[in-house]
Amino acid sequence: MHAARNIALCTKDCLCLFICPTGATDTENGQIDFAKCLDGCRLCVDACPSHALYLVFDRYPVKPDKDVAVVSALDNLLESKAKQELIGAALAHEGNGGAKLAKAIAHSDRVLAEDCAREARYMLPQSNQTRKLLTELLGRRGDPGFPVEAIEQLLELLH
Amino acid sequence: MEYKEPHSSGALAAICTNLSKACDKQMRPTEAGLFGKLAAYFSQSAGVAGPVSFNDLDTCITSDTESGYVAVETRAQQVGDRGALRCVTWGKKVTTIHKSVLVRYAKQGDALMEGNNLYVCEACGFIAIAKEVPELCPICKAPASRFTKI
Protein backbone atom coordinates (compact mmCIF):
# COMPACT_ATOMS: atom_id res chain seq x y z
CA MET A 1 0.00 0.00 0.00
CA HIS A 2 1.73 3.20 -1.16
CA ALA A 3 0.82 6.88 -1.48
CA ALA A 4 0.00 8.65 -4.75
CA ARG A 5 -0.55 12.31 -5.56
CA ASN A 6 -3.51 13.77 -7.43
CA ILE A 7 -1.66 16.62 -9.09
CA ALA A 8 -4.93 18.44 -9.95
CA LEU A 9 -5.63 18.86 -6.21
CA CYS A 10 -2.08 19.59 -5.04
CA THR A 11 -1.68 23.18 -3.80
CA LYS A 12 2.13 22.92 -3.41
CA ASP A 13 2.11 23.58 0.32
CA CYS A 14 4.70 20.80 0.44
CA LEU A 15 3.91 19.50 3.93
CA CYS A 16 4.39 16.03 2.48
CA LEU A 17 8.05 16.91 1.88
CA PHE A 18 8.47 17.79 5.58
CA ILE A 19 6.84 14.63 6.91
CA CYS A 20 8.04 11.92 4.49
CA PRO A 21 10.73 9.84 6.22
CA THR A 22 12.28 8.58 2.96
CA GLY A 23 12.02 11.52 0.55
CA ALA A 24 9.57 9.59 -1.64
CA THR A 25 7.26 12.64 -1.96
CA ASP A 26 9.99 14.91 -3.40
CA THR A 27 10.34 14.06 -7.10
CA GLU A 28 10.89 15.89 -10.35
CA ASN A 29 7.76 14.44 -12.03
CA GLY A 30 5.24 15.39 -9.34
CA GLN A 31 4.35 11.78 -8.54
CA ILE A 32 5.42 9.84 -5.43
CA ASP A 33 8.45 7.58 -5.84
CA PHE A 34 6.59 4.32 -5.24
CA ALA A 35 9.80 2.36 -4.74
CA LYS A 36 10.86 4.62 -1.86
CA CYS A 37 7.39 4.90 -0.29
CA LEU A 38 6.97 2.90 2.94
CA ASP A 39 4.20 0.29 2.90
CA GLY A 40 1.14 1.68 4.73
CA CYS A 41 3.00 4.66 6.28
CA ARG A 42 0.34 7.25 5.27
CA LEU A 43 2.05 10.18 7.08
CA CYS A 44 1.87 12.37 3.94
CA VAL A 45 -1.79 11.44 3.38
CA ASP A 46 -2.67 12.74 6.85
CA ALA A 47 -0.39 15.79 6.58
CA CYS A 48 -1.63 17.09 3.24
CA PRO A 49 -3.89 20.15 3.74
CA SER A 50 -5.55 19.77 0.32
CA HIS A 51 -6.30 16.02 0.28
CA ALA A 52 -4.12 15.58 -2.77
CA LEU A 53 -2.49 12.41 -1.42
CA TYR A 54 -4.17 9.05 -1.12
CA LEU A 55 -3.24 5.40 -0.66
CA VAL A 56 -3.09 2.93 -3.51
CA PHE A 57 -3.66 -0.67 -2.48
CA ASP A 58 -1.62 -3.64 -3.65
CA ARG A 59 -4.36 -6.17 -2.94
CA TYR A 60 -8.06 -5.92 -3.70
CA PRO A 61 -10.88 -8.01 -2.21
CA VAL A 62 -12.58 -10.81 -4.09
CA LYS A 63 -15.99 -9.52 -5.18
CA PRO A 64 -19.20 -11.51 -4.71
CA ASP A 65 -20.21 -13.40 -7.86
CA LYS A 66 -22.57 -11.51 -10.14
CA ASP A 67 -26.00 -12.94 -10.93
CA VAL A 68 -25.80 -14.95 -14.17
CA ALA A 69 -28.91 -13.34 -15.69
CA VAL A 70 -27.71 -9.79 -14.91
CA VAL A 71 -24.36 -10.60 -16.52
CA SER A 72 -26.05 -12.11 -19.56
CA ALA A 73 -28.25 -9.00 -20.03
CA LEU A 74 -25.23 -6.71 -19.56
CA ASP A 75 -23.21 -8.77 -22.05
CA ASN A 76 -25.97 -8.22 -24.64
CA LEU A 77 -25.92 -4.49 -23.96
CA LEU A 78 -22.12 -4.47 -24.16
CA GLU A 79 -22.33 -6.08 -27.61
CA SER A 80 -24.90 -3.52 -28.74
CA LYS A 81 -22.74 -0.60 -27.55
CA ALA A 82 -19.65 -2.11 -29.21
CA LYS A 83 -21.62 -2.41 -32.47
CA GLN A 84 -22.78 1.21 -32.23
CA GLU A 85 -19.23 2.33 -31.63
CA LEU A 86 -18.16 0.57 -34.84
CA ILE A 87 -21.02 2.14 -36.80
CA GLY A 88 -20.09 5.56 -35.40
CA ALA A 89 -16.43 5.02 -36.26
CA ALA A 90 -17.33 3.96 -39.83
CA LEU A 91 -19.51 7.09 -40.26
CA ALA A 92 -16.73 9.27 -38.84
CA HIS A 93 -14.30 7.87 -41.42
CA GLU A 94 -16.51 8.75 -44.34
CA GLY A 95 -15.54 12.39 -43.75
CA ASN A 96 -18.84 13.86 -44.96
CA GLY A 97 -21.38 15.81 -42.92
CA GLY A 98 -21.81 14.62 -39.38
CA ALA A 99 -18.38 12.98 -39.21
CA LYS A 100 -17.54 14.85 -36.03
CA LEU A 101 -20.87 13.98 -34.47
CA ALA A 102 -20.34 10.33 -35.41
CA LYS A 103 -16.91 10.47 -33.75
CA ALA A 104 -18.45 11.84 -30.56
CA ILE A 105 -21.10 9.11 -30.60
CA ALA A 106 -18.46 6.41 -31.12
CA HIS A 107 -16.43 7.82 -28.22
CA SER A 108 -19.51 7.91 -26.02
CA ASP A 109 -20.45 4.35 -27.00
CA ARG A 110 -16.99 3.17 -25.93
CA VAL A 111 -17.56 4.73 -22.49
CA LEU A 112 -21.00 3.09 -22.32
CA ALA A 113 -19.53 -0.27 -23.37
CA GLU A 114 -16.80 0.02 -20.74
CA ASP A 115 -19.41 0.67 -18.08
CA CYS A 116 -21.32 -2.47 -19.12
CA ALA A 117 -18.04 -4.44 -19.02
CA ARG A 118 -17.30 -3.14 -15.53
CA GLU A 119 -20.68 -4.19 -14.15
CA ALA A 120 -20.64 -7.46 -16.13
CA ARG A 121 -17.70 -8.87 -14.05
CA TYR A 122 -14.65 -7.02 -15.46
CA MET A 123 -14.31 -4.32 -12.80
CA LEU A 124 -10.99 -5.39 -11.30
CA PRO A 125 -7.94 -6.31 -13.37
CA GLN A 126 -6.96 -8.68 -10.54
CA SER A 127 -10.28 -10.56 -10.43
CA ASN A 128 -10.74 -14.25 -11.21
CA GLN A 129 -13.07 -13.33 -14.07
CA THR A 130 -10.42 -11.14 -15.70
CA ARG A 131 -7.82 -13.89 -15.27
CA LYS A 132 -10.25 -16.40 -16.74
CA LEU A 133 -10.80 -14.20 -19.79
CA LEU A 134 -7.05 -13.67 -20.25
CA THR A 135 -6.41 -17.40 -19.92
CA GLU A 136 -9.07 -18.15 -22.55
CA LEU A 137 -7.54 -15.57 -24.87
CA LEU A 138 -4.23 -17.45 -24.72
CA GLY A 139 -5.96 -19.95 -27.02
CA ARG A 140 -5.72 -17.39 -29.83
CA ARG A 141 -1.93 -17.41 -29.80
CA GLY A 142 -1.90 -18.73 -33.37
CA ASP A 143 -3.80 -15.74 -34.80
CA PRO A 144 -1.58 -13.43 -36.87
CA GLY A 145 -0.38 -10.46 -34.84
CA PHE A 146 -2.08 -11.65 -31.66
CA PRO A 147 -0.22 -10.04 -28.69
CA VAL A 148 0.19 -13.25 -26.70
CA GLU A 149 3.20 -11.90 -24.75
CA ALA A 150 1.01 -9.06 -23.40
CA ILE A 151 -1.41 -11.63 -21.97
CA GLU A 152 1.36 -13.76 -20.50
CA GLN A 153 2.86 -10.70 -18.82
CA LEU A 154 -0.53 -9.59 -17.47
CA LEU A 155 -1.18 -13.05 -15.98
CA GLU A 156 2.20 -12.85 -14.28
CA LEU A 157 1.77 -9.27 -12.99
CA LEU A 158 -1.85 -9.36 -11.84
CA HIS A 159 -3.00 -11.32 -8.84
CA MET B 1 -20.21 -19.76 -11.58
CA GLU B 2 -20.18 -19.93 -15.37
CA TYR B 3 -20.82 -16.94 -17.58
CA LYS B 4 -21.13 -18.28 -21.09
CA GLU B 5 -21.38 -15.41 -23.55
CA PRO B 6 -18.37 -15.15 -25.87
CA HIS B 7 -17.38 -11.57 -26.66
CA SER B 8 -16.99 -9.98 -30.11
CA SER B 9 -13.75 -8.16 -30.96
CA GLY B 10 -15.45 -4.80 -30.43
CA ALA B 11 -16.63 -5.83 -26.96
CA LEU B 12 -13.18 -7.22 -26.11
CA ALA B 13 -11.66 -3.86 -27.08
CA ALA B 14 -13.99 -2.09 -24.62
CA ILE B 15 -13.32 -4.68 -21.89
CA CYS B 16 -9.57 -4.11 -22.36
CA THR B 17 -9.72 -0.29 -22.34
CA ASN B 18 -11.87 -0.50 -19.21
CA LEU B 19 -9.24 -2.70 -17.53
CA SER B 20 -6.45 -0.45 -18.80
CA LYS B 21 -8.12 2.56 -17.17
CA ALA B 22 -8.57 0.56 -13.97
CA CYS B 23 -4.81 -0.17 -13.96
CA ASP B 24 -4.09 3.53 -14.50
CA LYS B 25 -6.22 4.37 -11.46
CA GLN B 26 -4.26 1.79 -9.45
CA MET B 27 -0.99 3.44 -10.58
CA ARG B 28 0.05 0.40 -12.59
CA PRO B 29 1.29 1.92 -15.87
CA THR B 30 2.90 -1.31 -17.14
CA GLU B 31 -0.32 -3.29 -16.82
CA ALA B 32 -2.32 -0.36 -18.25
CA GLY B 33 -0.04 -0.38 -21.30
CA LEU B 34 -0.43 -4.14 -21.78
CA PHE B 35 -4.24 -3.93 -21.68
CA GLY B 36 -3.94 -0.99 -24.08
CA LYS B 37 -1.99 -3.19 -26.48
CA LEU B 38 -4.68 -5.87 -26.32
CA ALA B 39 -7.40 -3.25 -26.85
CA ALA B 40 -5.59 -1.95 -29.95
CA TYR B 41 -5.39 -5.49 -31.37
CA PHE B 42 -9.13 -6.08 -30.85
CA SER B 43 -10.08 -2.63 -32.21
CA GLN B 44 -8.11 -3.28 -35.34
CA SER B 45 -9.71 -6.71 -35.86
CA ALA B 46 -13.25 -5.36 -35.27
CA GLY B 47 -15.40 -3.85 -37.99
CA VAL B 48 -18.88 -3.47 -39.44
CA ALA B 49 -19.99 -5.21 -42.60
CA GLY B 50 -21.17 -3.08 -45.48
CA PRO B 51 -22.17 0.59 -45.67
CA VAL B 52 -23.78 2.15 -42.61
CA SER B 53 -25.92 5.20 -41.93
CA PHE B 54 -27.19 7.19 -38.95
CA ASN B 55 -30.39 5.14 -39.30
CA ASP B 56 -28.48 2.02 -38.27
CA LEU B 57 -27.46 3.79 -35.06
CA ASP B 58 -31.05 4.79 -34.47
CA THR B 59 -32.20 1.16 -34.80
CA CYS B 60 -29.65 0.00 -32.18
CA ILE B 61 -30.57 2.85 -29.83
CA THR B 62 -34.26 1.98 -30.01
CA SER B 63 -33.47 -1.65 -29.26
CA ASP B 64 -31.35 -0.62 -26.24
CA THR B 65 -33.94 1.70 -24.74
CA GLU B 66 -36.89 -0.59 -25.44
CA SER B 67 -35.35 -3.92 -24.48
CA GLY B 68 -31.60 -3.94 -23.67
CA TYR B 69 -31.74 -1.65 -20.66
CA VAL B 70 -35.13 -3.01 -19.57
CA ALA B 71 -33.69 -6.55 -19.35
CA VAL B 72 -30.76 -5.44 -17.17
CA GLU B 73 -32.94 -3.23 -15.00
CA THR B 74 -35.61 -5.88 -14.39
CA ARG B 75 -33.15 -8.55 -13.33
CA ALA B 76 -30.91 -6.14 -11.37
CA GLN B 77 -33.92 -5.02 -9.36
CA GLN B 78 -34.86 -8.64 -8.61
CA VAL B 79 -31.41 -9.49 -7.25
CA GLY B 80 -30.60 -6.05 -5.77
CA ASP B 81 -27.58 -5.38 -7.99
CA ARG B 82 -27.28 -1.64 -7.39
CA GLY B 83 -24.10 -1.33 -9.45
CA ALA B 84 -25.92 -2.64 -12.52
CA LEU B 85 -28.85 -0.32 -11.72
CA ARG B 86 -26.46 2.63 -11.61
CA CYS B 87 -25.08 1.59 -15.01
CA VAL B 88 -28.66 1.46 -16.34
CA THR B 89 -29.60 4.84 -14.81
CA TRP B 90 -26.71 6.63 -16.48
CA GLY B 91 -26.68 4.57 -19.67
CA LYS B 92 -30.38 4.97 -20.43
CA LYS B 93 -30.12 8.76 -20.11
CA VAL B 94 -26.98 8.96 -22.25
CA THR B 95 -28.51 6.67 -24.89
CA THR B 96 -31.69 8.77 -24.98
CA ILE B 97 -29.50 11.83 -25.56
CA HIS B 98 -27.82 10.01 -28.49
CA LYS B 99 -31.29 9.61 -29.95
CA SER B 100 -32.24 13.27 -29.49
CA VAL B 101 -28.91 14.41 -30.95
CA LEU B 102 -29.56 12.26 -34.04
CA VAL B 103 -33.08 13.70 -34.38
CA ARG B 104 -31.72 17.24 -34.12
CA TYR B 105 -28.96 16.44 -36.62
CA ALA B 106 -31.51 15.06 -39.09
CA LYS B 107 -33.45 18.34 -38.85
CA GLN B 108 -30.65 20.89 -38.67
CA GLY B 109 -27.69 19.15 -40.32
CA ASP B 110 -24.25 20.64 -39.73
CA ALA B 111 -25.83 23.85 -38.40
CA LEU B 112 -26.33 21.91 -35.15
CA MET B 113 -22.59 22.01 -34.50
CA GLU B 114 -21.92 25.49 -35.91
CA GLY B 115 -20.17 27.68 -33.36
CA ASN B 116 -20.27 24.80 -30.87
CA ASN B 117 -17.82 22.18 -29.67
CA LEU B 118 -18.51 18.53 -28.93
CA TYR B 119 -17.58 17.20 -25.48
CA VAL B 120 -17.92 13.64 -24.16
CA CYS B 121 -17.98 12.80 -20.44
CA GLU B 122 -15.38 10.09 -19.77
CA ALA B 123 -17.33 8.82 -16.76
CA CYS B 124 -20.78 8.24 -18.29
CA GLY B 125 -20.56 9.05 -22.03
CA PHE B 126 -22.81 12.14 -21.96
CA ILE B 127 -22.44 14.19 -25.17
CA ALA B 128 -22.56 17.98 -24.84
CA ILE B 129 -22.91 20.24 -27.91
CA ALA B 130 -21.88 23.58 -26.46
CA LYS B 131 -19.46 26.50 -26.75
CA GLU B 132 -17.77 25.75 -23.45
CA VAL B 133 -17.09 22.53 -21.55
CA PRO B 134 -19.85 21.83 -18.98
CA GLU B 135 -18.86 22.67 -15.40
CA LEU B 136 -20.53 19.51 -14.17
CA CYS B 137 -21.90 16.50 -16.06
CA PRO B 138 -25.70 16.69 -15.82
CA ILE B 139 -25.95 12.88 -15.83
CA CYS B 140 -23.22 11.67 -13.46
CA LYS B 141 -21.96 14.94 -11.85
CA ALA B 142 -18.36 14.42 -12.99
CA PRO B 143 -16.36 17.69 -13.09
CA ALA B 144 -15.26 19.57 -16.25
CA SER B 145 -11.84 17.88 -16.10
CA ARG B 146 -13.50 14.54 -16.97
CA PHE B 147 -14.72 15.79 -20.37
CA THR B 148 -12.91 15.11 -23.64
CA LYS B 149 -13.24 17.61 -26.48
CA ILE B 150 -13.84 15.84 -29.80
Side-chain angles (χ1 to χ4, degrees):
Chain A
M1 192 162 56
H2 64 76
R5 181 181 288 119
N6 180 343
I7 206 75
L9 292 177
C10 175
T11 46
K12 316 293 185 290
D13 292 295
C14 297
L15 287 157
C16 56
L17 307 192
F18 299 164
I19 203 74
C20 179
T22 67
T25 56
D26 197 1
T27 61
E28 77 292 347
N29 65 0
Q31 193 45 272
I32 306 294
D33 184 336
F34 302 152
K36 276 193 196 165
C37 184
L38 299 176
D39 186 21
C41 158
R42 74 166 296 133
L43 282 172
C44 61
V45 175
D46 293 337
C48 178
S50 35
H51 306 290
L53 290 155
Y54 60 99
L55 291 175
V56 176
F57 291 73
D58 303 313
R59 295 261 178 259
Y60 290 84
V62 175
K63 303 267 180 213
D65 280 339
K66 291 284 243 183
D67 174 73
V68 176
V70 168
V71 166
S72 167
L74 279 165
D75 276 351
N76 290 337
L77 208 45
L78 164 63
E79 289 299 334
S80 176
K81 297 305 179 191
K83 183 181 169 194
Q84 288 167 68
E85 182 195 343
L86 291 172
I87 295 173
L91 290 169
H93 270 132
E94 282 173 14
N96 44 25
K100 207 172 167 190
L101 180 63
K103 199 177 168 193
I105 289 175
H107 194 97
S108 169
D109 277 317
R110 172 62 67 101
V111 175
L112 289 167
E114 287 171 350
D115 200 12
C116 292
R118 187 158 46 221
E119 291 301 332
R121 73 198 173 287
Y122 301 118
M123 182 175 288
L124 272 179
Q126 292 90 345
S127 71
N128 289 335
Q129 290 300 331
T130 300
R131 291 189 68 80
K132 186 166 168 273
L133 175 69
L134 289 171
T135 309
E136 278 168 17
L137 289 173
L138 281 176
R140 301 196 189 183
R141 63 172 70 240
D143 296 3
F146 189 74
V148 68
E149 322 77 42
I151 295 186
E152 285 167 349
Q153 285 178 58
L154 280 169
L155 284 168
E156 206 174 294
L157 291 166
L158 295 169
H159 29 128
Chain B
M1 176 94 41
E2 280 297 306
Y3 307 112
K4 293 200 181 69
E5 287 69 20
H7 306 292
S8 67
S9 290
L12 285 167
I15 290 169
C16 289
T17 47
N18 169 53
L19 292 167
S20 176
K21 288 174 185 177
C23 289
D24 268 331
K25 286 175 197 168
Q26 291 183 18
M27 298 285 160
R28 291 168 171 267
T30 309
E31 291 89 333
L34 291 167
F35 275 118
K37 211 169 163 181
L38 279 176
Y41 170 81
F42 289 121
S43 285
Q44 160 255 305
S45 57
V48 277
V52 286
S53 70
F54 280 105
N55 280 339
D56 298 313
L57 273 180
D58 194 64
T59 307
C60 295
I61 289 169
T62 305
S63 158
D64 286 354
T65 51
E66 287 179 4
S67 67
Y69 280 111
V70 181
V72 177
E73 189 170 23
T74 307
R75 185 61 189 169
Q77 264 164 355
Q78 282 166 1
V79 297
D81 186 336
R82 298 189 63 181
L85 286 174
R86 194 271 316 142
C87 173
V88 169
T89 304
W90 291 0
K92 247 190 343 195
K93 287 181 187 168
V94 171
T95 305
T96 307
I97 287 165
H98 283 198
K99 179 130 193 155
S100 76
V101 165
L102 288 180
V103 168
R104 285 165 66 198
Y105 183 70
K107 275 191 200 148
Q108 302 175 43
D110 288 332
L112 175 65
M113 271 85 76
E114 223 170 82
N116 283 318
N117 292 307
L118 282 164
Y119 301 95
V120 176
C121 174
E122 291 294 337
C124 72
F126 168 67
I127 298 175
I129 304 173
K131 285 186 177 57
E132 301 287 339
V133 64
E135 256 178 63
L136 209 62
C137 175
I139 308 297
C140 73
K141 314 299 176 209
S145 60
R146 296 282 276 141
F147 277 86
T148 297
K149 189 176 171 184
I150 301 297

